[in-house]
Amino acid sequence: MKHSPFSFHGPVRAAARIALLAPFTVLIAAGAHAATPFDTPDTGFKGRVMVDTPVVVPGTEVKLAGRDFKPGQEIRLTYGGLALGSGQPVVVGADGTFRAEFSVPADAPIGQHSVVVSALKPAAALIHTLKVSPDVALSGEDRFAMTAQKVVPGLYQSAYSSKNNAIYVTSAVGRPPVNQTQLVKLDAKTLEIAKAVTPAAAPALPAGGAGRPGGNAPRDPGLFAVYGVAVDDVNGNVWVTNTRQNTVAVYRQSDLTLLKQFEPGLVPHARDVQVDEKAGKVYTSAFGTPNVAVFDAKKLEFVKNIEIKTTIAAGGPGGGAPKAFSPLSLKLDSTNHKLYTVSMSTNEAAVIDTQAGEVEKVFPVEGALSAIGVAFHAKTNRLLVAAQGSDNLLIVDLASGKTLHDVKVGAGSLNVAVDAGRGWAYVSNRAAGTVTVVDMDGKIVANLPGGSYPNHVADDGKGTIYLINKTRGSEDPEGDRVTRITPR
Protein backbone atom coordinates (compact mmCIF):
# COMPACT_ATOMS: atom_id res chain seq x y z
CA MET A 1 0.00 0.00 0.00
CA LYS A 2 1.19 3.46 -0.83
CA HIS A 3 1.80 5.61 2.24
CA SER A 4 0.58 9.15 2.84
CA PRO A 5 3.03 11.87 1.74
CA PHE A 6 2.76 13.36 5.23
CA SER A 7 3.12 11.79 8.66
CA PHE A 8 0.38 12.88 11.05
CA HIS A 9 0.80 13.12 14.82
CA GLY A 10 -2.63 14.44 15.80
CA PRO A 11 -5.89 12.54 16.43
CA VAL A 12 -6.89 12.46 12.76
CA ARG A 13 -7.12 9.19 10.79
CA ALA A 14 -8.58 8.44 7.38
CA ALA A 15 -10.32 5.05 7.13
CA ALA A 16 -8.82 4.08 3.80
CA ARG A 17 -6.66 5.19 0.92
CA ILE A 18 -8.69 7.77 -0.99
CA ALA A 19 -8.57 9.60 -4.28
CA LEU A 20 -9.69 13.18 -4.79
CA LEU A 21 -12.03 13.41 -7.75
CA ALA A 22 -13.00 17.10 -7.46
CA PRO A 23 -12.06 20.10 -5.31
CA PHE A 24 -15.15 19.51 -3.17
CA THR A 25 -16.34 16.65 -0.95
CA VAL A 26 -16.64 13.67 -3.30
CA LEU A 27 -14.08 11.15 -1.97
CA ILE A 28 -14.08 7.48 -3.02
CA ALA A 29 -12.05 4.73 -1.35
CA ALA A 30 -9.44 3.35 -3.74
CA GLY A 31 -10.41 -0.07 -5.05
CA ALA A 32 -13.90 0.02 -3.53
CA HIS A 33 -16.80 -1.38 -5.55
CA ALA A 34 -19.66 -0.43 -3.27
CA ALA A 35 -21.19 3.00 -3.53
CA THR A 36 -19.81 5.52 -1.06
CA PRO A 37 -22.57 6.72 1.30
CA PHE A 38 -23.38 10.41 1.10
CA ASP A 39 -23.89 12.46 4.25
CA THR A 40 -26.34 15.32 4.72
CA PRO A 41 -24.71 18.47 3.25
CA ASP A 42 -23.84 21.39 5.48
CA THR A 43 -25.74 24.00 3.47
CA GLY A 44 -24.67 26.86 5.73
CA PHE A 45 -21.00 25.88 5.86
CA LYS A 46 -18.70 28.71 6.97
CA GLY A 47 -15.71 26.75 8.22
CA ARG A 48 -12.22 28.10 7.74
CA VAL A 49 -8.75 26.95 8.69
CA MET A 50 -5.42 28.65 9.28
CA VAL A 51 -1.87 27.56 9.97
CA ASP A 52 -0.57 28.63 13.38
CA THR A 53 3.01 27.80 12.34
CA PRO A 54 4.60 31.11 11.21
CA VAL A 55 6.87 29.60 8.56
CA VAL A 56 6.50 26.14 7.06
CA VAL A 57 9.66 24.63 5.58
CA PRO A 58 10.40 20.98 4.74
CA GLY A 59 10.40 18.94 7.95
CA THR A 60 8.18 21.40 9.84
CA GLU A 61 5.56 20.27 12.36
CA VAL A 62 2.48 22.15 11.20
CA LYS A 63 -0.21 23.30 13.61
CA LEU A 64 -3.57 23.69 11.92
CA ALA A 65 -6.55 25.41 13.53
CA GLY A 66 -10.15 25.46 12.33
CA ARG A 67 -13.03 27.70 13.32
CA ASP A 68 -16.69 28.32 12.45
CA PHE A 69 -17.34 24.61 11.92
CA LYS A 70 -20.41 22.81 13.28
CA PRO A 71 -19.98 21.34 16.79
CA GLY A 72 -19.52 17.59 16.49
CA GLN A 73 -18.39 17.60 12.86
CA GLU A 74 -15.71 15.01 12.09
CA ILE A 75 -12.68 16.41 10.26
CA ARG A 76 -10.26 14.55 8.02
CA LEU A 77 -7.30 15.98 6.12
CA THR A 78 -6.00 14.64 2.82
CA TYR A 79 -3.29 15.57 0.38
CA GLY A 80 -3.28 14.30 -3.20
CA GLY A 81 -6.10 11.91 -2.33
CA LEU A 82 -4.12 10.31 0.51
CA ALA A 83 -4.85 10.64 4.21
CA LEU A 84 -2.58 12.84 6.27
CA GLY A 85 -1.74 10.14 8.82
CA SER A 86 -3.87 7.79 10.89
CA GLY A 87 -6.07 7.81 13.94
CA GLN A 88 -9.59 8.83 14.72
CA PRO A 89 -11.06 11.89 13.01
CA VAL A 90 -10.81 15.21 14.80
CA VAL A 91 -14.15 16.11 16.38
CA VAL A 92 -15.10 19.79 16.34
CA GLY A 93 -15.68 21.23 19.79
CA ALA A 94 -18.77 22.96 21.12
CA ASP A 95 -17.24 26.32 20.18
CA GLY A 96 -16.89 25.31 16.52
CA THR A 97 -13.11 24.95 16.59
CA PHE A 98 -10.58 22.15 16.20
CA ARG A 99 -6.80 21.82 16.26
CA ALA A 100 -4.49 19.29 14.62
CA GLU A 101 -0.81 18.78 13.89
CA PHE A 102 1.06 17.03 11.10
CA SER A 103 4.61 16.88 9.77
CA VAL A 104 5.68 18.08 6.35
CA PRO A 105 8.21 15.59 4.96
CA ALA A 106 11.84 16.66 4.92
CA ASP A 107 11.90 16.20 1.15
CA ALA A 108 8.65 18.09 0.46
CA PRO A 109 8.90 20.27 -2.67
CA ILE A 110 8.88 24.02 -2.23
CA GLY A 111 5.64 25.66 -3.27
CA GLN A 112 1.92 25.87 -2.58
CA HIS A 113 0.17 22.59 -1.75
CA SER A 114 -3.57 21.94 -1.64
CA VAL A 115 -4.70 20.25 1.58
CA VAL A 116 -8.32 19.10 1.52
CA VAL A 117 -10.21 19.59 4.78
CA SER A 118 -13.27 17.30 4.71
CA ALA A 119 -16.08 17.37 7.26
CA LEU A 120 -18.86 14.88 7.97
CA LYS A 121 -21.96 15.06 10.16
CA PRO A 122 -22.91 17.25 8.27
CA ALA A 123 -20.78 17.06 5.10
CA ALA A 124 -18.66 19.89 3.72
CA ALA A 125 -15.12 20.55 2.54
CA LEU A 126 -12.63 23.24 1.71
CA ILE A 127 -9.17 23.41 0.22
CA HIS A 128 -6.43 25.06 2.27
CA THR A 129 -3.31 26.21 0.44
CA LEU A 130 -0.28 25.24 2.50
CA LYS A 131 2.85 27.10 1.43
CA VAL A 132 6.10 25.22 1.96
CA SER A 133 8.93 27.76 1.90
CA PRO A 134 12.63 27.30 1.17
CA ASP A 135 14.89 26.87 4.18
CA VAL A 136 17.96 28.88 3.19
CA ALA A 137 20.80 28.71 5.70
CA LEU A 138 22.63 31.86 6.80
CA SER A 139 25.88 32.36 4.92
CA GLY A 140 28.47 34.95 3.89
CA GLU A 141 28.09 37.19 6.95
CA ASP A 142 31.85 37.68 7.09
CA ARG A 143 31.71 39.45 3.71
CA PHE A 144 29.57 42.32 5.03
CA ALA A 145 29.70 44.96 7.73
CA MET A 146 26.30 45.41 9.38
CA THR A 147 25.56 48.31 11.74
CA ALA A 148 22.11 48.50 13.35
CA GLN A 149 20.36 51.27 15.26
CA LYS A 150 16.99 51.06 16.99
CA VAL A 151 14.85 54.03 15.92
CA VAL A 152 11.10 54.41 16.57
CA PRO A 153 8.17 51.94 16.60
CA GLY A 154 6.47 50.87 13.38
CA LEU A 155 9.24 51.44 10.82
CA TYR A 156 8.08 50.97 7.24
CA GLN A 157 10.38 52.37 4.50
CA SER A 158 13.50 54.47 4.05
CA ALA A 159 15.07 56.70 1.38
CA TYR A 160 18.60 58.08 1.12
CA SER A 161 19.48 61.71 0.36
CA SER A 162 22.97 62.13 -1.12
CA LYS A 163 22.65 65.91 -0.79
CA ASN A 164 22.28 65.71 3.00
CA ASN A 165 23.86 62.29 3.59
CA ALA A 166 20.69 61.50 5.49
CA ILE A 167 18.17 58.67 5.71
CA TYR A 168 14.47 59.54 5.81
CA VAL A 169 12.37 56.88 7.50
CA THR A 170 8.61 56.46 7.84
CA SER A 171 6.86 54.76 10.73
CA ALA A 172 3.25 53.86 11.51
CA VAL A 173 1.99 51.61 14.29
CA GLY A 174 -1.02 49.34 13.93
CA ARG A 175 -4.17 49.53 11.87
CA PRO A 176 -6.61 52.44 11.53
CA PRO A 177 -7.07 54.63 13.34
CA VAL A 178 -3.28 55.09 13.44
CA ASN A 179 -2.29 57.47 16.23
CA GLN A 180 1.42 56.69 16.41
CA THR A 181 3.37 57.71 13.31
CA GLN A 182 6.52 59.69 12.56
CA LEU A 183 8.70 60.90 9.73
CA VAL A 184 12.29 60.63 10.92
CA LYS A 185 15.55 62.05 9.55
CA LEU A 186 18.68 60.03 10.42
CA ASP A 187 22.36 60.81 10.01
CA ALA A 188 23.48 58.27 7.39
CA LYS A 189 26.85 57.79 9.08
CA THR A 190 25.79 57.39 12.71
CA LEU A 191 22.13 56.38 12.18
CA GLU A 192 21.25 58.75 15.00
CA ILE A 193 17.99 60.71 14.85
CA ALA A 194 18.56 64.27 13.63
CA LYS A 195 14.88 65.28 13.46
CA ALA A 196 11.46 63.67 13.84
CA VAL A 197 7.92 64.98 13.33
CA THR A 198 4.46 63.60 13.93
CA PRO A 199 1.94 64.21 11.12
CA ALA A 200 -1.27 66.11 11.80
CA ALA A 201 -4.67 64.63 12.54
CA ALA A 202 -6.63 63.47 9.49
CA PRO A 203 -10.20 64.60 8.79
CA ALA A 204 -13.14 62.38 9.71
CA LEU A 205 -13.49 59.33 7.46
CA PRO A 206 -16.59 58.74 5.35
CA ALA A 207 -19.03 55.94 6.14
CA GLY A 208 -17.29 52.58 5.92
CA GLY A 209 -13.92 53.98 6.99
CA ALA A 210 -10.75 54.18 4.90
CA GLY A 211 -12.75 54.42 1.70
CA ARG A 212 -14.68 51.17 2.17
CA PRO A 213 -18.45 51.37 1.65
CA GLY A 214 -20.84 50.10 4.29
CA GLY A 215 -20.65 50.29 8.05
CA ASN A 216 -19.76 53.31 10.14
CA ALA A 217 -16.68 55.49 10.12
CA PRO A 218 -14.43 55.16 13.17
CA ARG A 219 -14.87 57.88 15.76
CA ASP A 220 -11.14 58.59 15.70
CA PRO A 221 -9.83 59.11 12.12
CA GLY A 222 -6.24 58.94 13.35
CA LEU A 223 -3.26 60.82 11.95
CA PHE A 224 -1.95 61.25 8.40
CA ALA A 225 0.25 58.20 8.95
CA VAL A 226 3.31 57.93 6.67
CA TYR A 227 4.36 54.76 4.83
CA GLY A 228 6.13 55.10 1.45
CA VAL A 229 8.96 57.65 1.16
CA ALA A 230 11.23 59.19 -1.50
CA VAL A 231 13.58 62.19 -1.57
CA ASP A 232 13.81 65.09 -3.99
CA ASP A 233 17.30 66.55 -3.62
CA VAL A 234 16.71 69.10 -6.38
CA ASN A 235 13.85 70.81 -4.55
CA GLY A 236 14.96 69.79 -1.06
CA ASN A 237 11.77 67.86 -0.30
CA VAL A 238 10.61 64.50 1.03
CA TRP A 239 7.52 62.85 -0.43
CA VAL A 240 5.51 60.35 1.63
CA THR A 241 2.39 58.28 1.08
CA ASN A 242 -0.52 58.49 3.53
CA THR A 243 -1.86 55.04 2.72
CA ARG A 244 -4.75 55.06 5.19
CA GLN A 245 -6.07 58.39 3.87
CA ASN A 246 -5.44 57.45 0.21
CA THR A 247 -3.18 60.42 -0.48
CA VAL A 248 0.36 61.85 -0.31
CA ALA A 249 2.22 64.67 1.45
CA VAL A 250 5.41 66.69 1.00
CA TYR A 251 7.85 67.76 3.74
CA ARG A 252 10.96 69.94 3.66
CA GLN A 253 14.15 67.89 4.03
CA SER A 254 15.99 70.28 6.34
CA ASP A 255 13.52 70.58 9.21
CA LEU A 256 10.65 68.26 8.18
CA THR A 257 8.18 71.11 7.92
CA LEU A 258 4.98 70.08 6.13
CA LEU A 259 4.84 71.84 2.76
CA LYS A 260 1.78 70.23 1.18
CA GLN A 261 -0.83 67.80 2.43
CA PHE A 262 -2.83 66.56 -0.54
CA GLU A 263 -6.52 65.87 -0.01
CA PRO A 264 -7.66 62.43 1.16
CA GLY A 265 -8.89 60.11 -1.57
CA LEU A 266 -6.61 61.49 -4.30
CA VAL A 267 -4.51 58.30 -4.61
CA PRO A 268 -6.35 55.15 -3.46
CA HIS A 269 -4.18 53.11 -1.07
CA ALA A 270 -1.08 55.14 -2.01
CA ARG A 271 1.82 52.76 -1.48
CA ASP A 272 5.20 53.53 -3.06
CA VAL A 273 6.57 56.87 -4.27
CA GLN A 274 9.46 57.70 -6.62
CA VAL A 275 10.90 61.10 -7.59
CA ASP A 276 12.32 61.82 -11.05
CA GLU A 277 14.59 64.73 -10.14
CA LYS A 278 15.69 65.28 -13.74
CA ALA A 279 12.18 65.59 -15.12
CA GLY A 280 10.62 67.17 -12.04
CA LYS A 281 7.94 64.50 -11.67
CA VAL A 282 6.76 62.29 -8.82
CA TYR A 283 5.07 58.90 -9.19
CA THR A 284 2.89 57.08 -6.67
CA SER A 285 1.39 53.59 -6.96
CA ALA A 286 -2.34 53.32 -6.22
CA PHE A 287 -2.68 49.75 -4.98
CA GLY A 288 -6.07 48.21 -5.68
CA THR A 289 -6.51 50.29 -8.84
CA PRO A 290 -4.70 50.01 -12.21
CA ASN A 291 -3.18 53.48 -11.81
CA VAL A 292 0.09 55.24 -11.10
CA ALA A 293 -0.46 58.86 -10.05
CA VAL A 294 1.80 61.61 -11.44
CA PHE A 295 2.67 64.87 -9.62
CA ASP A 296 4.66 68.00 -10.45
CA ALA A 297 7.67 68.02 -8.11
CA LYS A 298 8.16 71.79 -8.18
CA LYS A 299 4.59 73.04 -8.19
CA LEU A 300 3.47 70.29 -5.78
CA GLU A 301 0.43 69.61 -7.92
CA PHE A 302 -1.37 66.48 -9.11
CA VAL A 303 -0.94 66.01 -12.86
CA LYS A 304 -2.76 62.85 -13.94
CA ASN A 305 -3.15 59.08 -13.55
CA ILE A 306 -1.43 56.59 -15.84
CA GLU A 307 -3.66 53.55 -16.31
CA ILE A 308 -2.03 50.13 -16.65
CA LYS A 309 -4.09 47.50 -18.44
CA THR A 310 -3.57 43.82 -17.72
CA THR A 311 -2.55 41.44 -20.48
CA ILE A 312 -4.44 38.54 -18.92
CA ALA A 313 -7.56 37.72 -20.92
CA ALA A 314 -10.90 36.62 -19.50
CA GLY A 315 -10.93 32.94 -18.69
CA GLY A 316 -7.25 32.99 -17.67
CA PRO A 317 -5.90 31.65 -14.36
CA GLY A 318 -8.85 31.07 -12.05
CA GLY A 319 -11.37 31.56 -14.88
CA GLY A 320 -13.86 34.33 -15.30
CA ALA A 321 -13.12 37.99 -15.79
CA PRO A 322 -9.47 39.06 -15.40
CA LYS A 323 -8.31 40.91 -12.33
CA ALA A 324 -7.09 44.46 -12.77
CA PHE A 325 -3.40 45.33 -12.69
CA SER A 326 -2.67 46.51 -9.14
CA PRO A 327 0.72 48.27 -8.77
CA LEU A 328 2.80 47.99 -5.61
CA SER A 329 6.53 48.72 -5.60
CA LEU A 330 7.96 51.29 -8.00
CA LYS A 331 11.48 51.72 -9.38
CA LEU A 332 12.60 54.66 -11.49
CA ASP A 333 15.26 54.57 -14.21
CA SER A 334 15.64 58.29 -14.84
CA THR A 335 18.51 57.82 -17.30
CA ASN A 336 16.36 55.86 -19.73
CA HIS A 337 13.10 57.59 -18.76
CA LYS A 338 11.43 54.42 -17.50
CA LEU A 339 9.34 53.56 -14.45
CA TYR A 340 8.91 49.93 -13.45
CA THR A 341 6.20 48.39 -11.30
CA VAL A 342 4.67 44.98 -10.56
CA SER A 343 1.14 43.79 -9.88
CA MET A 344 0.38 41.48 -6.97
CA SER A 345 -3.08 40.67 -8.31
CA THR A 346 -1.99 39.60 -11.80
CA ASN A 347 1.73 38.79 -11.36
CA GLU A 348 2.71 41.10 -14.19
CA ALA A 349 5.35 43.78 -14.64
CA ALA A 350 4.77 47.11 -16.38
CA VAL A 351 7.19 49.50 -18.04
CA ILE A 352 6.08 53.15 -18.17
CA ASP A 353 7.69 55.60 -20.59
CA THR A 354 8.02 58.67 -18.35
CA GLN A 355 8.70 61.05 -21.25
CA ALA A 356 5.54 60.03 -23.08
CA GLY A 357 3.62 59.61 -19.83
CA GLU A 358 2.15 56.29 -20.92
CA VAL A 359 2.59 52.55 -20.55
CA GLU A 360 5.20 51.06 -22.88
CA LYS A 361 4.49 47.40 -22.21
CA VAL A 362 3.01 44.94 -19.73
CA PHE A 363 4.04 41.29 -19.45
CA PRO A 364 3.57 38.33 -17.07
CA VAL A 365 6.44 37.49 -14.72
CA GLU A 366 7.13 33.79 -15.10
CA GLY A 367 7.46 32.01 -11.75
CA ALA A 368 5.92 34.78 -9.62
CA LEU A 369 3.07 34.43 -7.14
CA SER A 370 2.01 37.64 -5.39
CA ALA A 371 4.67 39.79 -7.07
CA ILE A 372 5.37 42.75 -4.80
CA GLY A 373 8.95 44.13 -4.93
CA VAL A 374 10.78 45.51 -7.94
CA ALA A 375 14.25 46.82 -8.83
CA PHE A 376 16.30 47.36 -11.99
CA HIS A 377 19.90 46.68 -13.02
CA ALA A 378 20.86 48.94 -15.93
CA LYS A 379 24.09 47.21 -16.97
CA THR A 380 22.36 43.90 -17.72
CA ASN A 381 18.93 45.42 -18.52
CA ARG A 382 17.33 43.10 -16.00
CA LEU A 383 14.27 43.55 -13.85
CA LEU A 384 14.36 42.08 -10.35
CA VAL A 385 11.01 40.97 -8.94
CA ALA A 386 10.44 39.78 -5.37
CA ALA A 387 7.38 37.52 -5.08
CA GLN A 388 5.86 37.05 -1.64
CA GLY A 389 3.67 34.07 -2.53
CA SER A 390 6.42 32.02 -4.17
CA ASP A 391 9.28 33.08 -1.86
CA ASN A 392 11.59 33.89 -4.73
CA LEU A 393 13.52 36.49 -6.66
CA LEU A 394 12.87 36.49 -10.40
CA ILE A 395 15.63 37.89 -12.60
CA VAL A 396 13.92 38.95 -15.82
CA ASP A 397 15.36 39.97 -19.18
CA LEU A 398 13.53 43.20 -19.97
CA ALA A 399 13.99 42.93 -23.72
CA SER A 400 12.20 39.59 -23.99
CA GLY A 401 10.23 39.53 -20.75
CA LYS A 402 11.62 36.08 -20.02
CA THR A 403 12.59 34.96 -16.54
CA LEU A 404 16.26 34.05 -16.66
CA HIS A 405 16.68 32.93 -13.05
CA ASP A 406 14.21 31.82 -10.38
CA VAL A 407 16.02 32.04 -7.05
CA LYS A 408 14.37 30.65 -3.91
CA VAL A 409 15.48 33.11 -1.24
CA GLY A 410 13.25 32.66 1.82
CA ALA A 411 9.73 32.91 3.18
CA GLY A 412 7.86 36.11 2.40
CA SER A 413 10.15 37.79 -0.13
CA LEU A 414 8.96 41.38 0.09
CA ASN A 415 11.28 44.03 -1.35
CA VAL A 416 14.46 44.21 -3.41
CA ALA A 417 17.21 46.79 -3.90
CA VAL A 418 20.26 46.68 -6.17
CA ASP A 419 23.91 47.53 -5.68
CA ALA A 420 24.40 48.56 -9.31
CA GLY A 421 28.21 48.55 -9.22
CA ARG A 422 28.54 44.98 -8.01
CA GLY A 423 25.39 43.72 -9.69
CA TRP A 424 23.99 42.35 -6.42
CA ALA A 425 20.32 42.28 -5.51
CA TYR A 426 19.32 42.43 -1.82
CA VAL A 427 15.99 40.78 -1.00
CA SER A 428 14.20 41.30 2.33
CA ASN A 429 12.42 38.08 3.34
CA ARG A 430 9.89 39.20 5.92
CA ALA A 431 8.75 35.82 7.26
CA ALA A 432 12.18 34.17 7.12
CA GLY A 433 13.88 37.07 8.92
CA THR A 434 16.70 37.26 6.39
CA VAL A 435 18.19 39.39 3.63
CA THR A 436 19.42 37.35 0.68
CA VAL A 437 22.12 38.74 -1.62
CA VAL A 438 21.90 37.41 -5.20
CA ASP A 439 24.07 38.16 -8.23
CA MET A 440 22.72 38.71 -11.74
CA ASP A 441 23.51 35.09 -12.66
CA GLY A 442 21.05 33.91 -10.01
CA LYS A 443 23.64 32.72 -7.52
CA ILE A 444 23.26 33.43 -3.79
CA VAL A 445 26.20 35.51 -2.59
CA ALA A 446 25.08 35.58 1.05
CA ASN A 447 22.05 35.08 3.27
CA LEU A 448 22.21 37.60 6.10
CA PRO A 449 20.26 37.84 9.38
CA GLY A 450 17.58 40.51 8.97
CA GLY A 451 16.15 40.76 12.47
CA SER A 452 12.41 40.67 13.06
CA TYR A 453 10.25 40.96 9.94
CA PRO A 454 12.66 42.60 7.44
CA ASN A 455 10.32 44.99 5.64
CA HIS A 456 12.22 47.18 3.22
CA VAL A 457 15.64 47.60 1.59
CA ALA A 458 16.93 50.74 -0.13
CA ASP A 459 20.26 51.53 -1.79
CA ASP A 460 22.26 54.75 -1.58
CA GLY A 461 23.71 54.43 -5.09
CA LYS A 462 27.20 53.91 -3.63
CA GLY A 463 27.09 50.23 -2.66
CA THR A 464 25.44 50.54 0.75
CA ILE A 465 22.03 49.07 1.52
CA TYR A 466 19.71 50.28 4.29
CA LEU A 467 17.44 47.66 5.80
CA ILE A 468 14.26 48.44 7.73
CA ASN A 469 12.81 45.78 9.98
CA LYS A 470 9.72 45.73 12.15
CA THR A 471 9.15 44.24 15.60
CA ARG A 472 7.60 41.21 17.25
CA GLY A 473 6.63 43.22 20.33
CA SER A 474 7.61 46.08 22.60
CA GLU A 475 10.39 44.03 24.21
CA ASP A 476 11.93 42.82 20.96
CA PRO A 477 15.62 43.86 20.92
CA GLU A 478 15.88 43.12 17.18
CA GLY A 479 12.81 45.11 16.13
CA ASP A 480 12.30 48.62 14.77
CA ARG A 481 15.85 48.98 13.52
CA VAL A 482 17.65 50.53 10.61
CA THR A 483 20.62 48.43 9.53
CA ARG A 484 23.37 49.68 7.25
CA ILE A 485 24.80 46.82 5.15
CA THR A 486 28.14 47.41 3.42
CA PRO A 487 30.25 44.83 1.58
CA ARG A 488 33.71 44.54 3.13
Side-chain angles (χ1 to χ4, degrees):
M1 176 178 289
K2 184 179 179 180
H3 295 289
S4 165
F6 292 85
S7 58
F8 200 90
H9 300 296
V12 174
R13 178 173 62 187
R17 181 184 177 192
I18 53 179
L20 179 65
L21 297 185
F24 298 103
T25 59
V26 185
L27 299 174
I28 299 178
H33 298 286
T36 299
F38 277 55
D39 193 6
T40 302
D42 184 353
T43 56
F45 181 64
K46 297 180 180 178
R48 52 199 176 107
V49 297
M50 61 210 74
V51 173
D52 283 346
T53 308
V55 178
V56 177
V57 299
T60 296
E61 185 86 357
V62 177
K63 295 181 179 180
L64 192 73
R67 62 174 57 181
D68 298 331
F69 285 77
K70 294 290 194 305
Q73 276 184 313
E74 297 179 357
I75 308 298
R76 289 180 171 86
L77 308 181
T78 60
Y79 174 78
L82 301 176
L84 290 180
S86 61
Q88 296 300 316
V90 171
V91 178
V92 177
D95 61 354
T97 68
F98 73 87
R99 299 186 68 84
E101 297 181 2
F102 62 90
S103 293
V104 174
D107 60 352
I110 304 305
Q112 298 193 3
H113 299 266
S114 296
V115 173
V116 180
V117 182
S118 301
L120 291 176
K121 301 180 183 178
L126 59 84
I127 295 178
H128 175 74
T129 301
L130 178 72
K131 186 176 74 166
V132 178
S133 299
D135 188 8
V136 183
L138 294 178
S139 64
E141 294 176 64
D142 58 325
R143 301 179 64 180
F144 297 83
M146 301 179 67
T147 303
Q149 177 69 43
K150 205 170 184 71
V151 187
V152 297
L155 299 182
Y156 195 77
Q157 286 191 9
S158 73
Y160 173 77
S161 166
S162 59
K163 180 179 179 179
N164 300 295
N165 195 32
I167 308 296
Y168 293 87
V169 182
T170 54
S171 73
V173 178
R175 297 186 178 276
V178 177
N179 288 300
Q180 188 175 359
T181 177
Q182 293 183 78
L183 175 60
V184 182
K185 179 181 179 180
L186 304 177
D187 183 288
K189 184 177 181 180
T190 66
L191 300 183
E192 296 291 336
I193 296 177
K195 182 72 177 179
V197 295
T198 296
L205 296 171
R212 296 180 181 178
N216 297 316
R219 294 179 182 177
D220 179 4
L223 306 177
F224 275 107
V226 292
Y227 292 89
V229 60
V231 298
D232 177 0
D233 278 349
V234 171
N235 294 295
N237 296 334
V238 180
W239 287 71
V240 299
T241 58
N242 308 118
T243 306
R244 304 302 184 183
Q245 285 76 34
N246 305 309
T247 192
V248 298
V250 188
Y251 291 78
R252 183 184 294 129
Q253 285 189 13
S254 58
D255 57 7
L256 301 187
T257 296
L258 178 66
L259 298 177
K260 179 70 174 285
Q261 178 63 65
F262 287 86
E263 65 273 19
L266 180 62
V267 185
H269 204 93
R271 205 264 193 179
D272 265 30
V273 58
Q274 290 275 285
V275 178
D276 187 339
E277 295 173 332
K278 294 180 179 179
K281 294 179 181 178
V282 180
Y283 301 90
T284 304
S285 54
F287 179 65
T289 79
N291 296 327
V292 170
V294 185
F295 295 83
D296 187 297
K298 188 173 183 62
K299 295 179 180 179
L300 307 186
E301 294 177 352
F302 172 75
V303 177
K304 68 172 185 176
N305 284 318
I306 299 175
E307 182 181 1
I308 306 172
K309 296 181 179 180
T310 180
T311 62
I312 299 175
K323 295 180 179 178
F325 192 103
S326 185
L328 275 163
S329 295
L330 300 174
K331 183 59 180 179
L332 179 73
D333 173 16
S334 60
T335 301
N336 297 301
H337 313 291
K338 308 293 183 186
L339 179 71
Y340 306 103
T341 187
V342 289
S343 167
M344 176 180 281
S345 58
T346 61
N347 296 308
E348 295 171 292
V351 182
I352 294 173
D353 183 327
T354 56
Q355 282 188 317
E358 60 186 32
V359 177
E360 181 176 294
K361 65 177 178 179
V362 179
F363 59 91
V365 180
E366 300 169 311
L369 289 176
S370 298
I372 185 169
V374 69
F376 170 70
H377 186 236
K379 185 177 180 179
T380 57
N381 195 36
R382 292 179 181 177
L383 196 70
L384 296 307
V385 178
Q388 193 171 25
S390 43
D391 303 323
N392 53 354
L393 174 70
L394 290 314
I395 302 177
V396 180
D397 174 52
L398 266 172
S400 65
K402 298 295 183 181
T403 294
L404 302 177
H405 305 287
D406 180 341
V407 188
K408 306 299 183 184
V409 290
S413 312
L414 192 60
N415 279 291
V416 55
V418 171
D419 173 354
R422 293 179 177 82
W424 291 353
Y426 291 71
V427 186
S428 55
N429 306 306
R430 193 178 193 276
T434 58
V435 175
T436 309
V437 187
V438 182
D439 68 20
M440 290 301 124
D441 292 324
K443 297 178 181 178
I444 293 179
V445 175
N447 194 41
L448 309 174
S452 304
Y453 303 132
N455 198 68
H456 188 257
V457 280
D459 66 282
D460 68 352
K462 307 172 186 176
T464 294
I465 301 295
Y466 291 93
L467 164 68
I468 293 291
N469 74 294
K470 304 188 81 63
T471 182
R472 297 180 186 273
S474 58
E475 303 301 321
D476 181 4
E478 293 189 344
D480 293 323
R481 302 182 308 176
V482 174
T483 302
R484 185 175 57 238
I485 305 174
T486 307
R488 295 185 187 278

